[in-house]
């Protein structure tokens, strides 16, 4: 931990987002072992990722945002609500402007019409919401330098849990890109390259988020809440529907995954915090 505290915020964010990118690549590497993954396993993986993100959004982002707003003598509920809504609105607008291809069968691209190939759209869809995930990690680490010296140890633990949570949900995303591409006839190596490439934007977004927050202390609580709103949007719009789409009405694997992911991240946040 002392090693991390001695690094600049952008360096901390870079290391953390390289970790999250690595888990994306690890998930994509499943294509070398499997051509398909059982539906129940995928459902639980997506559910687990959603549970992790929901828990991390509150304990690692919204709760610190409330505390920081109070320290700055602002109205905590207004600051946090504003940032949270803006985070969700950011991804909603991106959904409408940028062509999307969701992972369910028989879905169609949203937004403006495009002639891009399905494979490019598939990668682009995952890559799009990796941007706010990278920002979330960068914001969390940028908050460390902006916090009072007595709070830095707690803040770095919170930032680490954010990185762990996002990394865990990146693992099934990597597989969700590479394995369908392999099923469509693409070579394993090329499918893996597309899968891991979807996480490339996270280090870039993480560095930008860390530099911005560390430079402008006043926006810190808004930025934390913004990152939480973006994460909740991803969980509700992408991960939870995808988890349920992988199971039958009688199956509860998606719910088991959500509960397990939420519990794990809650325990990590409370214990480490």
């Amino acid at each position: 931990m002392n090693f991390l505290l001695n690094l600049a915020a952008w360096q901390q964010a870079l290391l953390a987002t390289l970790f999250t990118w690595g888990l994306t690549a690890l998930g994509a590497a499943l294509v070398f072992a499997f051509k398909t993954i059982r539906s129940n396993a995928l459902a639980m993986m997506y559910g687990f990722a959603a549970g992790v993100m929901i828990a991390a959004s509150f304990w690692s982002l919204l709760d610190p945002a409330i505390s920081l707003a109070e320290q700055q003598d602002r109205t905590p509920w207004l600051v946090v609500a504003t940032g949270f809504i803006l985070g969700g609105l950011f991804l909603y607008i991106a959904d409408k402007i940028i062509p999307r291809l969701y992972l369910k069968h028989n879905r169609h691209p949203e937004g403006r019409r495009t002639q891009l190939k399905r494979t490019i759209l598939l990668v682009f869809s995952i890559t799009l919401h990796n941007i706010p995930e990278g920002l979330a990690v960068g914001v969390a680490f940028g908050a460390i330098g902006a916090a009072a010296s007595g709070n830095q140890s707690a803040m770095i633990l919170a930032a680490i849990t954010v990185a762990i949570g996002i990394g865990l949900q990146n693992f099934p995303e990597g597989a969700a890109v590479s394995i369908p591409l392999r099923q469509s006839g693409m070579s394993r190596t090329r499918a893996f390259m597309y899968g891991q490439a979807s996480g490339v934007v996270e280090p870039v977004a993480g560095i930008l988020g860390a530099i911005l927050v560390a430079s402008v202390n006043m926006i810190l609580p808004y930025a934390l809440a913004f990152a939480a709103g973006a994460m909740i949007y991803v969980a509700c719009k992408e991960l939870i529907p995808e988890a349920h789409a992988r199971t039958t009405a009688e199956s509860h694997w998606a719910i088991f995954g959500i509960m397990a992911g939420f519990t794990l991240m809650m325990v990590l946040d409370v214990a480490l915090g």
Side-chain angles (χ1 to χ4, degrees), residues 55-273:
S57 293
F58 175 73
W59 274 281
S60 296
L61 294 172
L62 289 177
D63 192 39
I66 293 170
S67 298
L68 287 167
E70 291 173 343
Q71 293 171 17
Q72 295 177 356
D73 293 325
R74 301 186 183 188
T75 306
W77 65 264
L78 180 60
V79 170
V80 173
T82 301
F84 186 82
I85 292 172
L86 287 175
L89 187 62
F90 170 76
L91 283 192
Y92 172 78
I93 293 172
D95 273 345
K96 296 300 180 183
I97 294 177
I98 303 174
R100 303 295 307 277
L101 184 67
Y102 292 96
L103 304 178
K104 285 184 181 178
H105 296 297
N106 300 322
R107 282 185 174 182
H108 299 284
E110 292 182 1
R112 296 176 181 173
R113 294 185 177 181
T114 179
Q115 300 299 319
L116 294 176
K117 292 182 180 180
R118 181 181 185 276
T119 54
I120 301 300
L121 282 172
L122 180 61
V123 176
F124 200 74
S125 174
I126 298 295
T127 301
L128 173 65
H129 78 244
N130 278 343
I131 295 174
E133 290 169 10
L135 284 172
V137 176
V139 163
F141 279 94
I144 298 168
S149 58
N151 296 331
Q152 287 187 342
S153 294
M155 293 295 287
I156 199 167
L157 289 173
I160 289 171
T161 58
V162 172
I164 291 172
I166 290 177
L168 287 174
Q169 71 91 30
N170 279 357
F171 181 82
E173 286 184 356
V177 173
S178 63
I179 289 179
L181 293 179
R182 172 59 180 161
Q183 288 175 321
S184 67
M186 187 176 290
S187 69
R188 293 182 190 273
T189 300
R190 192 177 177 193
F192 166 75
M193 294 304 295
Y194 273 111
Q196 64 82 31
S198 66
V200 171
V201 295
E202 288 195 3
V204 177
I207 291 172
L208 291 176
I211 292 174
L212 178 63
V213 172
S215 302
V216 189
N217 188 32
M218 296 300 291
I219 70 167
L220 179 54
Y222 290 100
L224 289 171
F226 180 93
M231 289 177 70
I232 291 294
Y233 186 96
V234 170
C236 295
K237 186 70 163 61
E238 302 277 356
L239 297 176
I240 293 177
E242 188 63 27
H244 285 290
R246 301 285 177 173
T247 64
T248 63
E250 295 77 19
S251 175
H252 290 78
W253 287 106
I255 297 173
F256 294 155
I258 294 170
M259 297 294 292
F262 187 94
T263 301
L264 174 63
M265 188 51 58
M266 177 178 62
V267 169
L268 286 175
D269 274 310
V270 175
L272 295 178

